Structures are given as structure tokens and as C-alpha cells.
Amino acid sequence: QTFQHYFKQINLSSILAMSTSQKMKDFTSEPMGDKPVKALAGIGEVLGDKLIEEGFTYAYTVLGQFLVLGKDEELLKMWLKDRVNANSKQAGDCARCLKEWCDAFL
């Protein structure tokens, strides 16, 4: 039973990692347009809802914050942790997503 539980945890972690990287690839492969904030890598339902409550409905509004912070990934991570209680992985994925998008489109 312990082995099965461990195996399920590994599969769940792998699925989450793959979905995040796929989400990142999808997001950074095209112009942002009016994509919802939940389209950002690292931003799921819970964080997305918190950002929406804070007035950050679209991905471009979080991009605006990233630009105001001088495209500094560390500052955006701190902002996400403080503003919506993102964990380190969520904040890092979102910051990396926006950095890669900026590198491709700005």
C-alpha cells in the first residue's frame, strides 16, 4: 500500500509538472491578447480567483505589474506571494512565463 501511494504521488507530480510546462508553452507561443489571468503558468483556479478579486482579470494586467517591477522575476514572485499568497513554485512559474513571453514578444 505504501508503494502504491508513493507511485500515485509520483504520477500526480509528473502530471502537474507536465501540465504546467504545457501551459507555459501554450502561453508563450502566441500574443497575449485578452487571455484570462488563469491562462498564466502557475495560476490555477484558486490564485486566479484571488487575482480577479484584486482586479487582475486578464493576463495583461499581471504583465503590467511585471513591467512596473522592471521585468524583475524576483520582485514579481514576492508580489504574488504577498498579494495572493502564491507559493514559491506558483510564483516562479508565473514569473518565468511572463519573462519568456516578454523575451519572445517585446
Side-chain angles (χ1 to χ4, degrees):
Q1 189 175 20
T2 305
F3 177 75
Q4 287 177 336
H5 177 73
Y6 178 73
F7 185 70
K8 286 178 184 177
Q9 289 298 104
I10 290 173
N11 282 341
L12 181 59
S13 296
S14 298
I15 290 166
L16 290 173
M18 287 189 322
S19 65
T20 298
S21 68
Q22 186 60 52
K23 195 174 183 183
M24 176 115 42
K25 286 176 190 172
D26 291 346
F27 190 87
T28 59
S29 68
E30 61 188 15
M32 193 175 302
D34 289 335
K35 288 183 182 180
V37 72
K38 294 175 187 178
L40 287 163
I43 306 298
E45 288 296 315
V46 174
L47 286 184
D49 288 343
K50 288 179 182 180
L51 282 164
I52 290 167
E53 286 175 20
E54 294 285 329
F56 295 88
T57 305
Y58 296 100
Y60 65 75
T61 57
V62 179
L63 171 65
Q65 184 64 34
F66 183 56
L67 296 175
V68 165
L69 296 171
K71 294 196 289 186
D72 185 317
E73 290 179 75
E74 291 303 314
L75 289 177
L76 185 71
K77 288 191 255 183
M78 289 172 40
W79 179 82
L80 285 165
K81 289 175 184 180
D82 290 342
R83 194 75 182 244
V84 294
N85 204 28
N87 67 35
S88 293
K89 179 169 180 3
Q90 293 164 326
D93 287 349
C94 184
R96 192 167 41 262
C97 181
L98 287 172
K99 169 82 169 72
E100 288 184 20
W101 189 91
C102 286
D103 289 347
F105 294 98
L106 293 184

